[in-house]
Amino acid sequence: MATTVLIGAQWGDEGKGKIIDVLTEGVDWVVRAQGGNNAGHTVEVGEERFVLHLVPSGILHEGKRCVIGNGVVIDPVALVEEIQGIVERGFPVRGRLFISDRAHVVFPYHRMLDAQGEARRAKGEQIGTTQRGIGPTYSDKAARFGLRMADLRDPAFPELLRARVAEKNRVLEAVGAPVVDAEEVLASTKKALETLCPLVCDTIPMLHQALANGESILFEGAQGIMLDIDFGTYPFVTSSNACSGGAATGSGVPPNRMDRVVGVLKAYTTRVGEGPFPTELFDAQGEELRRAGREFGATTGRPRRCGWFDAVVARHAVMTCGVDEWALTKLDVLDGFDTLRLCVAYELDGRRIDYFPANIREVERCVPIYEDWPGWPADSTRGATRFEDLPAAARRYIARIEELTATPVGILSVGPRRSETIFREAAP
Ligand code: IMP
């Protein structure tokens, strides 16, 4: 397959980092097309653990080339720090990492406005953002007030920035927040540009040339469909399109060049930040999932909310993203549970529904309808290298997920390492 789009099919943190890392073996290019350093993709290479926020994880593979596409919002100072960390650990970026000149830039005032916006929201309306300035940067993009990487290299940049800082300071002052010093922002950005400038280019012809050369591309999705600005639990979402369509708008590779969509699903469900989550568990089983799955945010360290697998959410991902196959992750975390619950539909105000409502207040009233499936408490999925090696109950659990979502599970992850992955040759 020349192009593969990988998306998160829940609320982010599905274990995309590891699946991307494994799929990278077979591709030439890895492209990020949306989000920013709100993402945290964890990859284990040998005994080493990497958490990448902006740089595509393909950078950890020799010879692979990586693009940060136009749909990504870039905090230049954070990106330089990340690049330095990668280089120090032995992975060169020159000639391998390319940054779109159309990507919008996150400035300190965006981060401050993010924090302010959260603090000023009424109780119950806070989103629980990562406070990386993502929402305010995409707001400026939509309001046509943003600055892009191309602007940073322009001689007019100091004036463009000063005008923006003056405007944002008026807003910050009005809410009683500390203001930003334009000259300090200029200095830190210019310093970051020493590292970034040689990597900035028009990545659109570059990717099209790659396709024309017969090279393959993996689009590395960030966040997940339920955090998508259009299809997620609005307003408790991020500010970009985490759906498969975002891979096209965020890279300049059009939809008719996308060959396959892989949806990454955790074998249960988690969410960080606020917002409705129908299958959330508030009991000892939720605690157990958090403990066994080490469910703490890769970017903010916050404990993740945990719950059972939700087929309504997975079907929503299939519809909105055109998922061809699943990568089912963290199956090993379910080792030890006596009974597993699968949410097959919701009950809303006494009615059974099998779709995800748009109205957030309705979502809050949705009560999951569960099927109970036997677990494999005496058995383990760890160490399995073939589907047939999995406990019979685990295979039944997977088959039921396939049935409920009408989509095959092609890849299974039973541990954090590259080697702990099962590829199913003949997915049903
Ligand atoms: P923002 O993207 O920082 O504006 O945060 C908006 C919502 O998306 C919050 O609930 C965050 O916790 C969530 N979020 C953003 N990025 C990620 C991610 O990469 N994984 C999981 N949740 C995320």
Side-chain angles (χ1 to χ4, degrees), residues 346-405:
Y346 302 143
E347 190 182 301
L348 172 62
D349 303 336
R351 245 170 1 108
R352 181 186 170 111
I353 59 166
D354 58 6
Y355 60 88
F356 204 91
N359 182 334
I360 206 76
R361 284 152 293 269
E362 285 184 6
V363 178
E364 271 154 9
R365 293 202 301 278
C366 281
V367 179
I369 299 174
Y370 285 118
E371 277 180 7
D372 284 350
W373 284 79
W376 47 94
D379 232 325
S380 168
T381 59
R382 278 314 266 276
T385 52
R386 295 177 319 151
F387 185 72
E388 299 70 45
D389 298 338
L390 293 171
R395 282 182 276 144
R396 279 197 296 273
Y397 182 74
I398 295 162
R400 187 63 184 137
I401 288 175
E402 291 178 317
E403 239 168 50
L404 289 168
T405 59

Side-chain angles (χ1 to χ4, degrees), residues 11-13 16 38-41 114 127-135 222-223 227 236-239 271-274 299 302:
W11 276 276
D13 307 316
K16 292 183 293 296
N38 49 350
H41 290 167
D114 196 355
I127 295 165
T129 74
T130 58
Q131 311 233 339
R132 299 294 189 271
I134 306 300
Q223 290 86 44
L227 291 171
F236 300 97
V237 291
T238 191
S239 303
R271 171 165 204 174
V272 247
E274 304 305 321
T299 299
R302 291 179 289 178

Side-chain angles (χ1 to χ4, degrees), residues 231-246:
F231 302 123
T233 47
Y234 190 91
F236 300 97
V237 291
T238 191
S239 303
S240 65
N241 279 118
C243 61
S244 53

